[in-house]
Amino acid sequence: MIYFDKVTKAYGPENVALDSVSFVVEPGEMVTIVGHSGAGKTTLLRMILAEDRPTKGKVFFESQDIHSLNKYAIPKIRRRVGSVFQDYRLLPNKTAYENIAFAMEVAGRDEEEIKSDVPHVLDIVGLGDRLWHFPHELSGGERQRVAIARAIINRPDLLIADEPTGNLDPENAEEIIEIFKKINDLGTTIILTTHNPKVVEKTGHRIIKMENGKIISDEKRAKKV
Amino acid sequence: MIWINFKRIVKSGFINFWRNGLVSLASVLAIAVSLYVIGGLMVSSAFLNGVVAEVKNKVDISVSFKPETAVDDITAVKKSLSLLPDVKKVVYVSREDEYKSFRERHQDNALLLQSLDEVGNPFGARLNITAIDPNRYESIVYFLENDNQSLSVNRDIIDQVSFKRDIVSRLNKIIGIVKRIGLVASTVLICLAVFATFNTISLAIYTSREEVSVMRLVGAGNIYVKGPFLIEGIISGFLGTLVALFFLYPSVAWIKNVSYNAFGGVDLLSYLSGNFASIFLTLLVSGVGLGFMASYLAVRRYASL
């Protein structure tokens, strides 16, 4: 599903964020990318969302070279990728309901679907009673749940999450990881990044370790039941 | 789908405008100030034209006759003057009226009135002539001074023809200068106001860059990201027009009260009321256009793909 082919990203001769990185993510996989701050995890995810261009190499989404697409085709790819971030990145002027409805509107879904799906997905992430709250009226854990609900509402092929538990307490972090695992069990491919060993322990599956922009190990574990 | 998208974008524009509170208020006020300047300039230009018309109307040719002239002769001159195509109006002022109005004008000057009592009425009758066009006074004066054929009476009965030609030419010169200064000043003022509006709206959109990047991340295309900003710009323009008009009325009423004493005649408030539709439409088109253009340029710069 995702293929990195010798991708290098340099922000200057001394500042190499990714150094000839290659790996493949198969459909339905759950991949955890681990590494310290500055290891290149976020840059890697930004490449998938076409927020950044590689200096060298190519990134494929299925058979499509993401960075050869014109700017009008990029939103179409992004609608197939759900994304969750450490800082939630919700629209501050929209309620929980409207944040999720917005993602459905841009995907061209009709009003009936929006009215039935948004409360349902918020129920799934445990926020059925927070529909009309603005982000600033929600706790960190609740905001992250809204972000996850937004990321999965269009049933994306791929879900990427950049340090999704970075700002959460251990209890909330564990619940969020459980939600990801359930989403993965339903068939959605997931790539998430973390520097927290406890999260790595919980996610299991496939772990890619990065250091100084390079992959230093890529190991698969048996799925925990 | 296009209709649904349009409805969603318009709705989103209205909701964002309402929720952005102070930022929206700043945009509305910036546009209102611009429109207030434009509206003010429109009204003051009308005021200037009104003053000019008023003054020109007051300028006339005055023909004074010798005191002993018979009324019939004066009536004959009046008749021939009325036949001239350039003459709008000829008013006869009798000797007695002249005498009376002189006494009224100088009622505080006892010495002058006393000597007048001794002399008797030294004034001759007078004809006040108003031309259709102030630039045509010359031909009327020529008729009185030189045209022997048409004037049926002896020219000797005319004591003096006074023509305020200096006033007209000076007035024309002053109006020319005022208009030129006004044009430069209004261009500068409008440019400043428009620039301030653009900056305010740009700043509002600049502060939404983070939101724009989030919209992009969830796959929003250009129309979903930029559309609501453009709608917000249009709403700001519309409300800015109302605010500008709301403040223009009392200002004009105040200026009217002040200027009426000085110039008389020119009633700015009735000008504003009489031309309300065209002033409102001009300001509305300028306001909505300004809001839309400012938003359009700002989203092009800060919210592009």
Side-chain angles (χ1 to χ4, degrees), chain B residues 233-246:
Chain B
I234 291 172
I235 300 171
S236 301
F238 180 74
L239 293 181
T241 307
L242 298 185
V243 173
L245 277 174
F246 181 79

Side-chain angles (χ1 to χ4, degrees), chain A residues 49 51 71-72 75 78-79 83 85 89 91-95 98 102 105-106 108-111 114 134 150, chain B residues 1 4-5 8 11-12 15-16 19-20 210-222 224-225 305:
Chain A
L49 285 168
E51 277 199 288
K71 61 182 181 179
Y72 300 105
R78 285 178 178 164
R79 283 174 215 152
S83 42
F85 300 91
R89 296 181 83 171
L91 297 166
N93 277 339
K94 290 190 191 295
T95 61
E98 290 166 346
F102 182 75
E105 285 176 3
V106 300
R109 312 276 288 274
D110 64 44
E111 294 300 321
I114 293 175
F134 286 96
R150 181 182 66 186
Chain B
M1 199 63 218
I4 292 174
N5 280 343
R8 284 172 176 170
K11 187 179 164 196
S12 182
I15 291 175
N16 290 353
R19 288 184 185 162
N20 281 338
E210 180 60 29
E211 252 183 281
V212 168
S213 79
V214 175
M215 290 178 184
R216 296 270 181 229
L217 273 179
V218 297
N222 254 338
Y224 264 99
V225 175
L305 281 169

Side-chain angles (χ1 to χ4, degrees), chain A residues 31-49 51 81-89 144 147-148 151 159-168 176-177 180 190-196 199 210, chain B residues 217:
Chain A
V31 180
T32 308
I33 300 171
V34 199
H36 297 296
S37 294
K41 309 184 296 287
T42 300
T43 309
L44 199 134
L45 295 188
R46 285 171 61 85
M47 296 285 166
I48 299 173
L49 285 168
E51 277 199 288
V81 182
S83 42
V84 178
F85 300 91
Q86 182 176 0
D87 55 359
Y88 325 121
R89 296 181 83 171
Q144 198 57 297
I148 292 171
L159 182 66
I160 60 173
D162 190 13
E163 300 273 6
T165 58
N167 282 340
L168 305 179
I176 295 292
I177 294 302
F180 279 126
I190 295 182
I191 304 174
L192 68 86
T193 69
T194 185
H195 63 271
N196 184 344
V199 172
M210 291 189 72
Chain B
L217 273 179

